[in-house]
Amino acid sequence: MKKDNNKKLFPKDFLWSASTSAYQFEGAWNVDGKGPSVQDINENIPEGTTDFKVTSDHYNHLEEDVKLLAELGLKAYRFSIAWTRIIPDGDGEINQKGIDFYNRLINLLIKHKIEPIVTMYHFDIPAKLEDKDGWSNPKTIDAFVRFAKILFENYGDRVKYWLTINEQNMIILVGQIIGMKMPKSDNYLKSLYQMNHYMMLAQSKTMKLCHDLLPNAKIGPAPNISAIYPASSKPEDQIAAMNMSCLRNWLYLDAAVRGIYNPTVIAWLKKNNAMFDIKPGDMDILKSGKPDFIAFNYYNTSTAKMPESGIIKDQLTSQQKLKIEPDFYEQVDNPNLGKTQFGWEIDPTGFRTTFRETYDRYGLPLLVTENGLGAYDEITKDFKIHDDYRIEYYTKHIQAMKDAIDEGVEVIGYSPWSAIDLVSTHEGIKKRYGFVYVNRDEFDLKDLKRYKKDSFFWYQNLIRTNGESL
Ligand code: BGP
């Protein structure tokens, strides 16, 4: 991919995109032969929050939604394929109606000159596979690779950009919050990273298969990557920040890009008696499938300090467990940053840092697959949504991305979250992200009509001018 030397412009073929995921957007959870995913039967949905059965009902608004994406001017659209629409029980019969649905979507996108970017798996493992221990069972590797093969065979003639697993790192680090079933075991940490290993093997095999079957396609992982700051200039806080970055970021990209496990994480697992099993040949598999680009989701940075010594993990509350790894790092608030209405830190400069660090480390083209602001949008009586706060958020983040590009980072596209309103992973439809408003409440489905927000027209103009309007 060529770099553009004109500092004022984004690269000529820059993929201005927007993202959704199947279980948060499609609805129709049990229609036309679709099997249940773990998300459809998730029993841990917080009180007062909707489930994932209807969501934005994209399944029944397909033509209308793609027209909106075309009107927005998107050059690309990132969506995920529901594994359970294609193979209802995860590893058995193929459901032709599921195949047909995504054919219709892909053909509509191509008709409107929108490049499809396909996520193969976005948090919605088939419930039937979960009954057989899901990703903790090595057989799921074969089930996933078979699913991937079916996708390549059916859509590979039209889909050039593929993403393997959405936010594998968040599944491992906070899976219970995003509706995943986590391993049950006496040695939880070991089981967790065993599961991670199986997912890594599935990903490498899939990347290799993609290159074997579709020589013109490009494939990459899609973790959530963010820079980690030390809480102070104390040298040990810098070590804590590096530790956190290894565990949160580099473990996943080192395995995907370099085919190795991050040594800091391996040392930490061994110290905790939690080293997972690596069978002979596994590392060869990891090395055999490599990505063409790195896709990553970015919402915020983190800040870490070295925790006080003597902390015992089992004595921490579940909230503390999410933030503290004894003798390794403790995540703390960053007093220099503001927060969203939902308490997420906002850090455009951290976006630039994340680009720089990731590109320095791996040297592969970068594709942003998520970035965005969850907010309580209000619709006026005349059906307008004045989301100037979202425009401000995007302006700053896209400027930071542009700064990184001007500093030499190769960025091939930007796919904010989300194209159209959808249901948040654990905070319902009230936490809205889209450029398009979907008229429904948490439990009142209303008419599900679509209304363009102010940010829709802003992004449309930005795309039309290839970023010059910034
Ligand atoms: C990412 C996920 C998305 C998405 C987004 C916003 O982690 O890949 O599925 O929902 O974050 O998160 P939330 O919905 O929790 O606000």
Side-chain angles (χ1 to χ4, degrees):
M1 260 157 263
K2 274 197 196 144
K3 288 221 183 89
D4 199 310
N5 290 324
N6 186 340
K7 278 201 155 198
K8 291 208 179 72
L9 299 175
F10 275 86
K12 195 168 113 308
D13 300 319
F14 195 74
L15 295 170
W16 293 108
S17 174
S19 297
T20 60
S21 89
Y23 85 96
Q24 295 172 278
F25 190 43
E26 289 176 2
W29 72 287
N30 60 355
V31 167
D32 288 342
K34 181 180 174 300
S37 79
V38 282
Q39 300 294 349
D40 300 322
I41 55 163
N42 181 358
E43 283 168 5
N44 293 322
I45 293 175
E47 224 185 297
T49 306
T50 184
D51 58 24
F52 296 102
K53 297 198 166 76
V54 180
T55 63
S56 308
D57 199 32
H58 169 63
Y59 195 80
N60 295 307
H61 290 72
L62 186 67
E63 279 78 13
E64 182 190 348
D65 286 348
V66 175
K67 257 194 205 150
L68 281 163
L69 304 181
E71 190 186 336
L72 183 55
L74 294 187
K75 307 284 182 206
Y77 169 57
R78 174 199 179 216
F79 60 95
S80 79
I81 292 189
W83 188 340
T84 50
R85 243 184 240 298
I86 305 293
I87 311 167
D89 65 1
D91 60 358
E93 300 268 297
I94 298 176
N95 176 35
Q96 189 54 43
K97 285 192 173 159
I99 301 270
D100 296 345
F101 172 70
Y102 295 106
N103 265 325
R104 288 213 309 281
L105 170 58
I106 291 165
N107 290 342
L108 278 171
L109 292 172
I110 286 172
K111 187 174 133 202
H112 289 286
K113 301 200 169 43
I114 301 172
E115 184 85 53
I117 302 176
V118 171
T119 315
M120 308 171 108
Y121 167 56
H122 193 123
F123 301 159
D124 52 355
I125 188 169
K128 285 277 157 52
L129 289 186
E130 196 55 60
D131 290 347
K132 295 183 250 174
D133 294 332
W135 283 113
S136 299
N137 183 343
K139 287 191 181 143
T140 301
I141 301 172
D142 299 333
F144 184 76
V145 177
R146 172 174 176 254
F147 166 54
K149 185 161 183 268
I150 293 166
L151 300 188
F152 295 147
E153 285 168 352
N154 280 279
Y155 310 123
D157 57 334
R158 286 152 294 154
V159 175
K160 186 170 156 206
Y161 291 94
W162 297 90
L163 309 168
T164 52
I165 299 176
N166 180 68
E167 293 196 355
Q168 184 175 329
N169 54 341
M170 291 301 117
I171 294 175
I172 298 301
L173 295 168
V174 293
Q176 57 283 23
I177 296 177
I178 49 179
M180 303 294 301
K181 293 230 178 87
M182 305 312 281
K184 289 188 195 73
S185 142
D186 293 342
N187 189 340
Y188 178 72
L189 199 58
K190 178 177 176 188
S191 308
L192 189 65
Y193 284 89
Q194 191 69 54
M195 169 172 142
N196 182 60
H197 179 56
Y198 294 151
M199 294 174 86
M200 286 298 178
L201 293 176
Q203 171 167 274
S204 287
K205 285 187 168 192
T206 301
M207 293 192 295
K208 180 170 187 315
L209 184 69
C210 179
H211 292 137
D212 289 348
L213 294 181
L214 307 171
N216 295 321
K218 293 183 186 302
I219 189 163
N224 180 312
I225 298 297
S226 72
I228 316 286
Y229 302 119
S232 76
S233 52
K234 280 190 203 156
E236 53 272 31
D237 286 349
Q238 172 64 18
I239 296 289
M242 288 169 71
N243 288 344
M244 184 174 174
S245 205
C246 288
L247 192 63
R248 188 199 186 283
N249 299 316
W250 312 139
L251 169 67
Y252 301 88
L253 289 178
D254 283 358
V257 180
R258 299 174 172 167
I260 58 162
Y261 278 116
N262 181 280
T264 306
V265 175
I266 295 298
W268 174 78
L269 285 171
K270 285 184 177 160
K271 203 171 137 200
N272 285 284
N273 298 318
M275 183 57 203
F276 53 91
D277 300 326
I278 299 178
K279 291 221 173 69
D282 283 0
M283 295 314 289
D284 296 331
I285 294 174
L286 267 198
K287 283 201 163 52
S288 70
K290 296 281 172 68
D292 302 289
F293 59 86
I294 293 172
F296 72 101
N297 300 348
Y298 173 87
Y299 289 91
N300 40 34
T301 45
S302 301
T303 303
K305 68 171 190 177
M306 190 54 85
E308 283 164 27
S309 56
I311 294 178
I312 297 168
K313 188 124 192 195
D314 285 345
Q315 293 173 357
L316 300 174
T317 64
S318 52
Q319 276 309 310
Q320 287 172 321
K321 277 186 188 155
L322 292 174
K323 300 202 166 222
I324 304 176
E325 288 301 342
D327 302 317
F328 206 49
Y329 70 81
E330 175 173 351
Q331 205 183 325
V332 294
D333 276 1
N334 186 335
N336 303 300
L337 301 175
K339 288 186 176 170
T340 72
Q341 291 172 329
F342 287 82
W344 291 22
E345 285 175 343
I346 302 176
D347 187 4
T349 304
F351 195 24
R352 177 174 167 190
T353 315
T354 304
F355 278 114
R356 293 270 305 265
E357 229 184 330
T358 310
Y359 192 64
D360 267 1
R361 199 174 161 102
Y362 301 104
L364 282 178
L366 302 179
L367 170 65
V368 179
T369 35
E370 285 180 34
N371 171 233
L373 178 70
Y376 295 100
D377 291 340
E378 273 181 33
I379 185 158
T380 61
K381 287 209 178 82
D382 57 346
F383 305 109
K384 302 271 190 291
I385 302 92
H386 301 304
D387 56 342
D388 44 310
Y389 38 87
R390 184 167 289 111
I391 294 173
E392 188 192 336
Y393 178 99
Y394 279 134
T395 303
K396 289 184 177 159
H397 282 80
I398 295 172
Q399 184 57 56
M401 170 169 69
K402 183 64 177 48
D403 291 342
I405 293 173
D406 289 345
E407 287 159 345
V409 178
E410 189 176 0
V411 186
I412 57 174
Y414 178 69
S415 197
W417 186 266
S418 56
I420 296 175
D421 279 350
L422 39 69
V423 176
S424 147
T425 54
H426 63 295
E427 292 179 287
I429 186 81
K430 61 186 167 297
K431 188 183 194 184
R432 293 175 185 271
Y433 281 92
F435 294 105
V436 175
Y437 186 92
V438 174
N439 194 34
R440 61 160 288 184
D441 282 345
E442 221 58 39
F443 297 107
D444 179 357
L445 292 174
K446 298 188 176 173
D447 55 13
L448 290 162
K449 265 199 179 168
R450 276 64 171 144
Y451 295 100
K452 294 163 215 163
K453 303 182 191 177
D454 288 356
S455 58
F456 180 97
F457 301 103
W458 175 86
Y459 194 41
Q460 183 187 53
N461 192 36
L462 186 97
I463 296 174
R464 195 187 289 136
T465 60
N466 196 26
E468 266 193 278
S469 65
L470 203 64

